C-alpha cells in the first residue's frame, strides 16, 4: 500500500517501538492516530492522540468510531510480565494473552471493516522471536505471541479478498524500556525496525524478520525437537 496519504492507527503509540512507528509514518506523509491508554502521554508533533485500551472492547469500539478514516492498523501495544506458565500468577498469564492475542484480535475485528470501506489498506502485527523460541521463564509472553502469530496467518487469508494485507513483524530485543535490563549489544535499534516494517507494508510483504537472532530461529523451526 501507499504510506503517503494513508491514515494509520498505532496502538501503544506513545513510547518505544510504537513511538517510532508514529514518527516515521508522519515523516512519510501519513495521518497518524497515536493510540494509548493515556493519550496525554503522546508527544509526537503532528500525531493525533487517541484513547485506546486494547483489552477493553468498549474502548476499542469508541476508538474505531473516532478513527473512522483509518486505512492502516499497527497492532503494537504489548507488555512483558516475565511469568512462567507453571507456578506463575494466573492473572498475569491471562493479561499476557489478553494483550498479545485477544486485544489485537479485537482491534483488528473493529478496524478491518473500516479499512475495507476506505478502499483497503494494511494491518501490521508486532510479534516476537519468542513466537517461536519458547523460554520457560517467559512462558506467558511466548504463549501470547505464538497465538498472535497464528492469528496473523489466519486473518491474512480472510482479509486478502477485502484488499487488506497483513504483515507480521518478528524481532528480538530492542532498545526500549521493555528491554532496559538487556545488554546494549544484544538490542536492535527500534527506529531501524520501524523503517524496515513500513518498507514491508509498502511492498505488501507478509513478514519481517528484523534481526539475526530472529532469522536464525525462524530457519531452525523445522529442526527436530530437543529435550
Amino acid at each position: 500500500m501507499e504510506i503517503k496519504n494513508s491514515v494509520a492507527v498505532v496502538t501503544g503509540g506513545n513510547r518505544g517501538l510504537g513511538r517510532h512507528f508514529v514518527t516515521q509514518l508522519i515523516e512519510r506523509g501519513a495521518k497518524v492516530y497515536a493510540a494509548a491508554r493515556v493519550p496525554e502521554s503522546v508527544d509526537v508533533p503532528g500525531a493525533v492522540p487517541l484513547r485506546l485500551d486494547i483489552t477493553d472492547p468498549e474502548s476499542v469500539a469508541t476508538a474505531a468510531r473516532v478513527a473512522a478514516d483509518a486505512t492502516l492498523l499497527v497492532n503494537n501495544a504489548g507488555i512483558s510480565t516475565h511469568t512462567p506458565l507453571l507456578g506463575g500468577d494466573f492473572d498475569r498469564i491471562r493479561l499476557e494473552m489478553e494483550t498479545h492475542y485477544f486485544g489485537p484480535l479485537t482491534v483488528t475485528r473493529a478496524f478491518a471493516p473500516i479499512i475495507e470501506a476506505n478502499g483497503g489498506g494494511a494491518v501490521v502485527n508486532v510479534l516476537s522471536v519468542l513466537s517461536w523460541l519458547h523460554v520457560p521463564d517467559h512462558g506467558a509472553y511466548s504463549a501470547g505471541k505464538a497465538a498472535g502469530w497464528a492469528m496473523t496467518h489466519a486473518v491474512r487469508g480472510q482479509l486478502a479478498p477485502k484488499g487488506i494485507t497483513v504483515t507480521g513483524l518478528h524481532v528480538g530485543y530492542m532498545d526500549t524500556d521493555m528491554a532496559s535490563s538487556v545488554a546494549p549489544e544484544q538490542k536492535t535499534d527500534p527506529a531501524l525496525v520501524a523503517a524496515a516494517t513500513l518498507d514491508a507494508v509498502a511492498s505488501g510483504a507478509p513478514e519481517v524478520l528484523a534481526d539475526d537472532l530472529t532469522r536464525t530461529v525462524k530457519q531452525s523451526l523445522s529442526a527436530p525437537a530437543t529435550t
Side-chain angles (χ1 to χ4, degrees), residues 82-126:
H82 306 278
T83 304
L85 293 177
L86 299 180
D89 182 86
F90 216 83
D91 286 340
R92 286 190 168 194
I93 295 171
R94 288 185 184 278
L95 179 60
E96 292 266 12
M97 195 62 71
E98 287 286 347
T99 304
H100 297 133
Y101 175 65
F102 288 111
L105 178 58
T106 301
V107 177
T108 301
R109 285 166 62 107
F111 277 95
I114 292 171
I115 296 173
E116 181 185 10
N118 289 329
V123 174
V124 176
N125 288 335
V126 177

Side-chain angles (χ1 to χ4, degrees), residues 52-64:
L52 175 57
D53 179 349
I54 67 169
T55 67
D56 179 353
E58 290 188 9
S59 176
V60 173
T62 299

